[in-house]
Amino acid sequence: MTSAIDRYLRDFGRFQQATAEMERAVTLRLTESYIAVHAVQSRTKEPDSAAGKFARLDESGAPMFTDPLREVTDLVGVRVITYLTSDIDRVEQALTSTFEVRQRVDKTSVTQSAGTFGYAGTHLILRADDDLDFEVQIRTVLQHAWAEIEHGIRYKGSRTTSSAPIDRAFTLAAGLIELADAQFAEVDTLHKNDLAHARATEEIEIGTLQEVLTNALPDISPARANAYEWLVTLLAANGITVRDDLDEFLAAADVDAVISAMDYKFAPTHVRLVDDLLLARFGDDHIERTAGMTSDRDREPKLRYRLGRLTQNGQPK
C-alpha cells in the first residue's frame, strides 16, 4: 500500500489534469445534448483519503486492492447536479452514449427497495479513451444539499457513535426532499403543459408563420417578407387562425403530390405552395373565400386553372 500511495503522490498532478479533462468532457457532452444543469463539479481524491481507501480490507482480512491505482475507480470524480429528477436519466443517457460504462448504481432505487429514506442519486463508473476509469455522481440540487450536510456531519465531524435523534432527523429530511423533488417534477410538467397549450393556441402572426413554414417545409424557398402577411389572411379565410390548426393542416397536406400535380415552372415559395395546399384541401371553397381578397382581378381564373391541374392529377382528395 505504501508503494501505491507513493505512486499516487508522484502522479497526483497527472490525476488532477485528468480530472479537469473529464469535467470539460462531461460539460461538453451535456451542452451538445442541450441539457441544462445546475452545476458540473469535479475533484481529485486527496492523498490522505486515497491512502485510507487503499488500505481497506475485505471480510477475510485480506487487502481489497492489489493494484489500487487501477482498481480504485473514484480517484477522479465528476458530479453533475441537476434541477429535476427527470434530468438524471437524461444526463445518464448522454454520458453513457459517450463513455464506456463500467458500473452503474442507482442509489435512489437501492434506498427505496430497502423501504427507507436516505442518500439518492445515480453513480456511474465510466471509462475514457485512455483507459482511465472515473466516477460520475448525478443528483438533484436537493439531493446534493442533503448529501453534503449528511457527509459533513457523519463523516467529517468528530462523532464516532450512532445517534438515534440525528439518524431520525436525516431520515425525515430525506423523505421531505423526495417529496419536494416530486413536487418540482409536477410543477415542471404543469409548466410544459401550459407552454404547449399557449403555443398551440397562439394566433398566427407573420413571425410565427415564417417559423412554422421554415420548419415544416425546409426545402421550399422563403417568400418576400410582406407576402407572409397576405398568407395570414388566406389561412384565416379558411378558419386556420391558431398555430395548432396550422400544424394540423400542414401535417395532413400531401406536399409532394401537390408539387407533382402543379409541375411548377419555377420553384414555389412558401406563400405560393401553401396557397396551393389550401386549394387542394378546400377546393372551390378556397376560391370563393379568397378570390376577392386582392386587387388582382385574374386571381379567380388563375385559381380555377390551378384547381383543374390539381383535380386532373388526383387532387384535391
Side-chain angles (χ1 to χ4, degrees), residues 25-284:
V26 168
T27 301
L28 177 60
R29 187 67 188 91
L30 299 181
T31 300
E32 291 173 342
S33 301
Y34 302 99
I35 302 175
V37 299
H38 174 68
V40 178
Q41 304 172 343
S42 64
R43 66 99 184 97
T44 309
K45 187 176 282 296
E46 292 296 330
D48 57 344
S49 178
K53 193 157 192 175
F54 292 174
R56 287 183 182 177
L57 304 177
D58 61 21
E59 294 180 356
S60 67
M64 290 184 63
F65 307 107
T66 57
D67 187 2
L69 266 66
R70 290 188 61 83
E71 295 171 338
V72 176
T73 54
D74 66 344
L75 298 177
V76 172
V78 177
R79 179 179 296 136
V80 180
I81 303 173
T82 71
Y83 294 105
L84 301 170
T85 52
S86 58
D87 293 332
I88 293 177
D89 289 339
R90 296 178 62 215
V91 170
E92 180 180 350
Q93 291 172 8
L95 297 183
T96 55
S97 67
T98 303
F99 300 100
E100 177 186 349
V101 182
R102 306 288 290 172
Q103 184 180 353
R104 178 187 185 274
V105 179
D106 185 344
K107 299 285 187 176
T108 304
S109 294
V110 171
T111 301
Q112 291 176 346
S113 296
T116 60
F117 294 98
Y119 186 91
T122 297
H123 285 200
L124 302 173
I125 303 300
L126 304 176
R127 175 164 289 182
D129 292 338
D130 57 358
D131 290 337
L132 168 72
D133 286 349
F134 66 103
E135 181 184 65
V136 177
Q137 298 177 358
I138 314 170
R139 57 200 190 200
T140 68
V141 173
L142 293 181
Q143 291 170 350
H144 175 66
W146 185 94
E148 288 295 286
I149 295 171
E150 195 259 0
H151 185 74
I153 291 177
R154 283 183 167 163
Y155 295 98
K156 292 186 178 179
S158 59
R159 187 171 68 90
T160 58
T161 59
S162 177
S163 169
I166 290 179
D167 291 342
R168 182 176 183 278
F170 272 122
T171 299
L172 178 60
L176 292 173
I177 283 174
E178 186 173 318
L179 286 173
D181 267 334
Q183 283 302 113
F184 283 136
E186 177 66 14
V187 169
D188 181 62
T189 298
L190 293 172
H191 176 60
K192 288 177 178 176
N193 289 342
D194 285 347
L195 287 178
H197 177 72
R199 185 181 180 87
T201 57
E202 176 186 1
E203 290 190 4
I204 299 173
E205 298 177 349
I206 295 174
T208 303
L209 183 58
Q210 289 175 311
E211 175 192 346
V212 171
L213 295 181
T214 298
N215 292 330
L217 305 169
D219 297 327
I220 304 302
S221 300
R224 298 188 312 274
N226 60 354
Y228 288 96
E229 184 175 355
W230 159 242
L231 185 53
V232 169
T233 64
L234 293 183
L235 291 166
N238 288 281
I240 302 173
T241 59
V242 297
R243 184 168 187 150
D244 198 32
D245 293 338
L246 178 58
D247 288 337
E248 184 178 328
F249 166 71
L250 291 173
D254 193 339
V255 176
D256 291 338
V258 169
I259 292 176
S260 176
M262 295 304 299
D263 191 22
Y264 297 107
K265 184 176 181 181
F266 302 103
T269 64
H270 284 154
V271 174
R272 172 57 195 273
L273 179 58
V274 173
D275 192 12
D276 285 337
L277 293 176
L278 290 167
L279 188 58
R281 170 67 178 82
F282 297 106
D284 288 324

